[in-house]
Amino acid sequence: MEYYNQLLDESYHKKTLDNGFKIYILPKRGYTKKHAFFCTEYGSLYNQFEKDGKTYDMPKGIAHFLEHKIFDEDQTSIFETFAELGASVNAFTNYFATCYTLSTVDHFEESLVQLLSFVQRLNIDDDAVEKEKKVIIQELKMYDDQPQWLAYTEMLKGLYHDHPIQYDIGGSIESVEAITKEDLEICYNSFYVPNRMMLFVIGDVDIEETFALAEAHLTEEFMKRPMAPKIILPDEPDDISKKFCVNEMGLPCPILYMGIKDRTFYDDTKARLKKGIISKLLTDLVFGKGSDFYETHYDTGLINASFSSDFSYGRTFGYTGISAETKEPELLVKAIEDEIERVKKEGLDQDGFERIRKKMIGRHLSSFNSTQYIANTFVNYYMKGIELFDYLETLEKITFKEIEDRFLSHFDLKYSTVSLVK
Amino acid sequence: MNRSLESYKINARMNLYVIQTKKFKTDLIGVYIKQPLNKHEASLNALLTRILMRGTVKYPSAKALNIQLESSYGMIMVSDVVKYGEHHILQFKLQFPNGKHLLENHIFNDALELVEEVIFHPLMEKDHFIEDYFQQEKDNLVDEIESRINDKMSYALERCIECMYDNRPYSEYVYGNVDRVKAITVDELTKHYHHILETAQFDICVMGDLNPDEVKASIQRLPVSHVESSDYHMMCDYNHVSEIRYFSESLNIKQGKLVLGYKTQICQNDPLYEASVLAYHIFGGGPNSRLFHELREEKGLCYYVFAKSDRFKGCMFIGAGIEDEHQVIVETSIHDSLQRLKEEGITKKELQMAVDEMFSSIASLSDFPNSFINFYYTELLGRPLDHYDIDDMLYKYQSITLDDIKAVYQKLELDTVYMLKGE
């Protein structure tokens, strides 16, 4: 199947195999670099699942740990295999997914075969698992020294009671220590399966040849793997868990994160995307660089260029996050709250709405400059159950009334939390 | 590889580079203003890149300017100052959607007009920058310099550079220092601005689906006078190390950050320059490097390890995040690893992989507009323009021998060991 978007002047091709495995190809003529993302819809949120009548509760951070161990091979280093082909290989784990990525200028076909091959097998022993713990603990400690990161994760803990979004993707030192070879094998066998995986290819490639090559290198054993188990996510109440928290790190300028919890969720993918776009547009309209709020408080020195606001979401969670480095965090929280109340009384700026919409159209077009960015965005949207190509049409159809309604319902300070690192 | 670079000498102080390409949905204008890095002017340059974004004659506030950018399909404009060796380059970049995607053909001229407004027509009051804007940006710059401690990884690297080049211009932090910022007066900043307008070298890179002749005609309008720029000499560091110096500082952190500073004796115009790029990469850059393999994969001592060099100064740094108590073993491992490289060199296979990786990364640069123009600018910086050819450069990489790489390692001298540890 081919999907074409006129305004973007881009198209992609999709093929779904009988067992649910999906292949996407987005041809980009004239680009030197080709990328392939081989992904499983298995991220840090999915620690609890039900398999063969049994409930599993895995140690936090196991999806990320597994990502590290997929790179283990008996003889040669995977990095070296790719380097010999002039290609580079990498991987990332986020809340929803684990992706193995390949980028190369030459030898794309051979590299793609290698990518498919190493992800389709797991090769671990106890010693390697123990050694990897040391490396991952250093990775966690690296984040521990970043005050921005601490302020952000503490904000998530303030917003959520039970939802696993509040936990670090890599887990904690204790949870990583607890992971065993057997745990890793169970998770691999459960989630590295066709109906939970996909391949995304972008670059100047031949469409039919690439489909054929990919299919030919999915092993017989892989194609027969059973369906992924049912994931268990706790019921999360609407209200927040904590109104305020503060951590001391001896910073010259405190870091503030304020979050407002989303309580509206949609099963329909287009409705979910629309809510996401509206919510992002709202944060920019009310708190962005062209807003009255930004100008007023920049001029008084309450905020500086570090001030930013955004809306983040998935299928089962969402929040507006406002962050700043400020010497007067209490005053800034008050100013944000006052602004929300003021806009509720006086209304949103309709010209501003059209301006921000225009900006978002332009930025979306610009993002198609970079094949790497498209690959990342495509896969991220896919994992949230959203089609990238629906974006522009959805954005163009949004009405001012919808913006106003969402502002009134979402920006309710009863559902806000503040995290401060000093 | 995109080689259709047209270059024009517009006048004694202004060069234009036009890179034509149809593949992007946006075009990009980059203005590079060349200044020397020194204690006196670093903060002045940094402050200038900030105050110019506060308001122009036509767009008298940051809000008015931002609204103009947003209304023009989300144009993105950024300004900052960057340190390349002892060059201190003021950069202004404007990315804007190409007219053909929006049926608005005048968008290039609108974009150039905005760049011109920001750089040449700032809002002034009695021939000085606006006092309020000046004070606000001064305060913000002080905060920004103080907050650099938040990013411990780059903070450790910067501190190592400061210790290694103590009190020499290269030790200067890219935004200068707090005391210097506080001492700046609006009169001094305004004078500095005029000094730059009247004496500095302007290099303008334009990339996109554009007609070079039209771009040239538009650029010629910019008010850069035709007088020779005041040039300065770049110092490559050819001094040898008399003794290794050790520094250690403590902060409230959970992971120690170790940085080793080496003198390389190799700068951009050295015959071994290209070999040095590969040699550092093989030593500590990326997941195929010796140190990634030895420190992380074999010994599990770290998660990240990097090699970073400055081709204008002649120095190279190895950094890693480690447990405080592992400092000695990590230092020894790095030392032993380099010693083996000095004695035995690398394998043919390592060299071939590094060359391939280099080619691939140069080729893929053309997929990223901003990296691409920065790449060209740094390649041309300090070199005579008419002597530069990208094919020559690729050829140089292909001709590198195992002995060249070994020669690079043999020149490396450890100068400074810096450790940032927990309290």
Side-chain angles (χ1 to χ4, degrees):
Chain A
M1 278 280 273
E2 182 177 351
Y3 300 82
Y4 176 71
N5 185 300
Q6 197 176 359
L7 190 57
L8 287 169
D9 190 22
E10 304 278 0
S11 58
Y12 70 83
H13 301 255
K14 176 184 175 184
K15 195 166 186 177
T16 308
L17 308 185
D18 292 342
N19 56 16
F21 188 82
K22 295 182 190 68
I23 306 172
Y24 294 86
I25 299 172
L26 201 155
K28 273 293 245 186
R29 302 295 166 226
Y31 277 73
T32 44
K33 207 148 195 172
K34 303 171 178 85
H35 304 266
F37 279 44
F38 190 17
C39 310
T40 169
E41 200 176 332
Y42 172 55
S44 65
L45 297 183
Y46 309 131
N47 281 332
Q48 287 184 46
F49 51 91
E50 231 175 73
K51 194 180 176 182
D52 306 325
K54 202 176 151 196
T55 305
Y56 290 84
D57 193 354
M58 287 293 171
K60 293 178 183 74
I62 194 164
H64 170 255
F65 200 120
L66 191 52
E67 173 222 303
H68 277 236
K69 290 330 287 169
I70 296 284
F71 282 93
D72 276 11
E73 285 293 286
D74 275 347
Q75 303 291 323
T76 56
S77 145
I78 298 218
F79 293 113
E80 202 176 311
T81 309
F82 281 86
E84 281 173 21
L85 291 165
S88 59
V89 63
N90 213 327
F92 62 86
T93 307
N94 61 27
Y95 294 120
F96 324 103
T98 310
C99 295
Y100 300 83
T101 68
L102 144 74
S103 58
T104 186
V105 175
D106 298 314
H107 304 295
F108 176 70
E109 289 78 13
E110 294 101 305
S111 308
L112 179 61
V113 169
Q114 289 296 333
L115 175 74
L116 291 168
S117 150
F118 86 81
V119 179
Q120 285 180 81
R121 56 177 189 260
L122 179 67
N123 223 324
I124 48 171
D125 59 52
D126 288 321
D127 285 352
V129 170
E130 288 311 307
K131 204 184 67 202
E132 203 62 34
K133 286 180 182 175
K134 292 204 271 182
V135 173
I136 291 176
I137 287 168
Q138 286 308 319
E139 186 178 2
L140 297 178
K141 285 190 170 181
M142 179 182 78
Y143 286 107
D144 280 345
D145 286 336
Q146 297 173 6
Q148 288 279 355
W149 180 251
L150 178 66
Y152 164 71
T153 49
E154 289 295 312
M155 174 194 80
L156 290 178
K157 289 197 171 76
L159 288 174
Y160 291 94
H161 294 266
D162 300 311
H163 198 288
I165 184 80
Q166 65 187 298
Y167 304 118
D168 195 333
I169 290 162
S172 63
I173 294 179
E174 297 73 38
S175 73
V176 167
E177 293 281 11
I179 289 171
T180 65
K181 173 174 166 281
E182 289 68 34
D183 291 340
L184 291 163
E185 283 166 345
I186 293 169
C187 290
Y188 181 81
N189 293 330
S190 303
F191 293 103
Y192 284 67
V193 298
N195 82 316
R196 208 141 172 112
M197 294 189 79
M198 60 96 91
L199 174 71
F200 178 81
V201 173
I202 183 166
D204 200 343
V205 297
D206 183 285
I207 297 155
E208 286 316 314
E209 280 176 21
T210 309
F211 273 130
L213 184 74
E215 278 190 72
H217 288 85
L218 296 171
T219 65
E220 216 173 301
E221 180 272 321
F222 174 78
M223 294 297 275
K224 282 192 200 139
R225 288 182 195 173
M227 302 264 281
K230 186 174 163 248
I231 284 162
I232 305 169
L233 277 177
D235 285 329
E236 173 68 28
D238 278 354
D239 67 329
I240 57 164
S241 93
K242 238 188 331 208
K243 198 69 193 165
F244 181 74
C245 88
V246 59
N247 283 279
E248 299 280 346
M249 273 180 101
L251 302 185
C253 191
I255 295 173
L256 168 85
Y257 266 81
M258 182 169 173
I260 301 173
K261 191 173 181 179
D262 191 14
R263 291 96 52 205
T264 314
F265 301 100
Y266 298 98
D267 285 335
D268 178 60
T269 64
K270 286 194 178 168
R272 187 182 305 143
L273 173 63
K274 187 168 173 178
K275 177 192 79 174
I277 293 176
I278 289 176
S279 310
K280 279 180 187 285
L281 196 154
L282 272 172
T283 60
D284 205 354
L285 182 57
V286 180
F287 297 110
K289 285 195 169 158
S291 68
D292 292 335
F293 177 89
Y294 194 94
E295 181 177 52
T296 307
H297 298 294
Y298 191 98
D299 286 353
T300 63
L302 188 58
I303 61 171
N304 55 35
S306 69
F307 182 83
S308 77
S309 58
D310 199 4
F311 179 77
S312 306
Y313 65 108
R315 285 186 170 93
T316 54
F317 71 93
Y319 56 87
T320 291
I322 300 171
S323 67
E325 288 176 28
T326 177
K327 293 240 159 87
E328 304 278 1
E330 290 83 8
L331 282 183
L332 180 54
V333 170
K334 176 83 172 60
I336 293 168
E337 291 174 348
D338 287 350
E339 180 65 3
I340 291 172
E341 295 307 330
R342 185 190 72 80
V343 177
K344 277 189 180 165
K345 272 199 211 95
E346 296 174 16
L348 290 157
D349 167 14
Q350 187 150 10
D351 291 343
F353 159 60
E354 291 302 341
R355 188 183 77 236
I356 303 288
R357 191 212 309 259
K358 231 175 162 183
K359 168 182 168 180
M360 288 171 82
I361 292 172
R363 291 281 168 87
H364 188 72
L365 288 174
S366 315
S367 70
F368 273 72
N369 272 351
S370 150
T371 45
Q372 177 126 28
Y373 185 91
I374 300 171
N376 270 313
T377 313
F378 191 98
V379 168
N380 265 316
Y381 274 172
Y382 173 90
M383 298 298 169
K384 291 180 190 178
I386 289 170
E387 291 279 355
L388 178 61
F389 277 27
D390 286 339
Y391 185 93
L392 281 176
E393 200 191 336
T394 311
L395 177 57
E396 281 177 335
K397 278 190 191 150
I398 287 169
T399 64
F400 188 58
K401 176 80 173 50
E402 288 172 319
I403 294 282
E404 286 180 307
D405 290 347
R406 173 72 180 166
F407 183 74
L408 291 174
S409 67
H410 175 63
F411 280 82
D412 186 337
L413 293 168
K414 209 172 103 192
Y415 302 99
S416 73
T417 187
V418 168
S419 155
L420 192 59
V421 176
K422 285 186 178 174
Chain B
M1 193 73 210
N2 192 322
R3 289 184 179 77
S4 56
L5 172 92
E6 301 285 338
S7 49
Y8 308 93
K9 195 160 183 66
I10 303 287
N11 69 36
R13 282 199 294 134
M14 183 158 58
N15 295 317
L16 167 68
Y17 312 99
V18 183
I19 303 157
Q20 266 184 286
T21 171
K22 282 189 192 300
K23 73 183 181 192
F24 299 120
K25 299 207 169 8
T26 58
D27 298 339
L28 178 64
I29 300 174
V31 178
Y32 299 82
I33 305 171
K34 194 171 120 183
Q35 287 293 291
L37 176 73
N38 60 51
K39 217 178 181 62
H40 185 68
E41 290 174 11
S43 296
L44 281 169
N45 291 335
L47 193 51
L48 203 51
T49 58
R50 283 145 176 80
I51 200 162
L52 290 176
M53 296 291 281
R54 286 305 304 276
T56 74
V57 173
K58 196 169 173 190
Y59 307 104
S61 66
K63 183 179 170 192
L65 189 61
N66 278 311
I67 284 181
Q68 178 59 25
L69 291 166
E70 286 174 347
S71 311
S72 312
Y73 287 96
M75 285 184 180
I76 299 175
M77 185 159 188
V78 292
S79 68
D80 207 349
V81 62
V82 181
K83 178 175 160 183
Y84 298 125
E86 283 169 23
H87 295 294
H88 204 213
I89 312 294
L90 287 74
Q91 301 191 354
F92 297 84
K93 308 270 179 68
L94 182 68
Q95 180 190 280
F96 51 100
N98 190 289
K100 70 174 183 247
H101 291 284
L102 300 163
L103 310 169
E104 291 188 25
N105 288 318
H106 51 79
I107 201 157
F108 174 73
N109 280 318
D110 290 357
L112 187 64
E113 189 221 81
L114 255 176
V115 174
E116 184 183 342
E117 272 288 309
V118 166
I119 300 175
F120 298 98
H121 309 296
L123 189 64
M124 296 247 177
E125 201 176 48
K126 293 183 195 148
D127 295 328
H128 283 81
F129 286 115
I130 307 293
E131 184 68 34
D132 282 352
Y133 292 175
F134 169 74
Q135 279 304 335
Q136 288 154 15
E137 291 311 319
K138 241 175 94 163
D139 293 347
N140 287 341
L141 189 57
V142 167
D143 289 349
E144 231 178 307
I145 296 172
E146 285 177 344
S147 295
R148 73 186 176 122
I149 203 166
N150 289 357
D151 183 344
K152 306 294 186 295
M153 208 192 289
S154 53
Y155 179 72
L157 175 63
E158 286 154 12
R159 286 293 299 137
C160 182
I161 293 173
E162 286 167 15
C163 294
M164 188 159 157
Y165 291 94
D166 186 29
N167 269 325
R168 279 165 283 169
Y170 189 64
S171 71
E172 203 58 32
Y173 178 54
V174 65
Y175 300 151
N177 68 75
V178 169
D179 291 341
R180 180 68 187 104
V181 176
K182 285 183 175 163
I184 296 172
T185 64
V186 71
D187 188 50
E188 189 186 10
L189 186 67
T190 311
K191 282 197 179 119
H192 184 66
Y193 168 67
H194 288 299
H195 171 74
I196 284 182
L197 281 198
E198 285 151 23
T199 61
Q201 171 76 38
F202 284 68
D203 290 283
I204 300 167
C205 285
V206 178
M207 182 165 183
D209 188 5
L210 298 155
N211 178 329
D213 290 334
E214 286 172 22
V215 171
K216 189 180 164 199
S218 304
I219 296 286
Q220 273 167 335
R221 291 199 324 252
L222 295 180
V224 175
S225 63
H226 183 74
V227 285
E228 286 295 328
S229 55
S230 50
D231 216 349
Y232 53 90
H233 286 287
M234 266 293 292
M235 291 296 291
C236 181
D237 182 7
Y238 291 116
N239 297 315
H240 288 281
V241 179
S242 48
E243 64 175 330
I244 302 170
R245 294 179 305 155
Y246 292 85
F247 299 86
S248 173
E249 289 175 300
S250 295
L251 276 179
N252 175 18
I253 52 172
K254 297 205 173 133
Q255 181 186 61
K257 322 281 172 197
L258 175 69
V259 184
L260 276 60
Y262 297 84
K263 293 196 178 188
T264 67
Q265 321 285 335
I266 301 167
C267 279
Q268 193 173 19
N269 291 322
D270 193 290
L272 278 177
Y273 168 69
E274 282 78 11
S276 77
V277 174
L278 298 188
Y280 309 149
H281 187 73
I282 294 165
F283 185 30
N288 271 310
S289 67
R290 291 281 182 106
L291 292 178
F292 186 91
H293 187 69
E294 291 164 9
L295 294 181
R296 175 172 155 164
E297 294 191 326
E298 272 179 17
K299 298 178 182 151
L301 287 168
C302 64
Y303 169 69
Y304 77 84
V305 54
F306 65 79
K308 191 173 162 47
S309 60
D310 190 324
R311 61 165 110 174
F312 300 104
K313 190 65 197 170
C315 50
M316 193 271 292
F317 301 87
I318 296 289
I322 58 172
E323 291 293 327
D324 290 348
E325 63 265 29
H326 290 157
Q327 185 183 345
V328 174
I329 177 175
V330 173
E331 256 183 74
T332 312
S333 302
I334 296 172
H335 176 267
D336 292 349
S337 182
L338 181 58
Q339 206 50 40
R340 274 195 300 281
L341 289 167
K342 282 179 194 242
E343 286 159 18
E344 299 158 20
I346 56 163
T347 64
K348 231 174 163 172
K349 192 165 139 192
E350 280 177 303
L351 177 60
Q352 192 51 50
M353 288 195 300
V355 172
D356 288 350
E357 235 179 292
M358 195 63 210
F359 272 47
S360 169
S361 73
I362 292 172
S364 60
L365 266 180
S366 68
D367 290 349
F368 299 92
N370 187 42
S371 317
F372 195 63
I373 67 168
N374 282 345
F375 170 77
Y376 261 105
Y377 181 71
T378 47
E379 281 294 306
L380 299 174
L381 191 58
R383 280 179 167 145
L385 173 62
D386 47 345
H387 284 71
Y388 182 74
D389 185 328
I390 197 152
D391 287 325
D392 284 351
M393 184 189 66
L394 293 175
Y395 177 73
K396 277 188 196 160
Y397 277 105
Q398 258 168 338
S399 344
I400 293 170
T401 65
L402 292 172
D403 286 341
D404 293 338
I405 301 279
K406 203 163 155 184
V408 172
Y409 293 130
Q410 285 169 349
K411 278 175 170 264
L412 291 183
E413 294 174 41
L414 180 61
D415 181 282
T416 301
V417 176
Y418 176 85
M419 178 75 183
L420 185 64
K421 52 172 113 180
E423 282 166 344

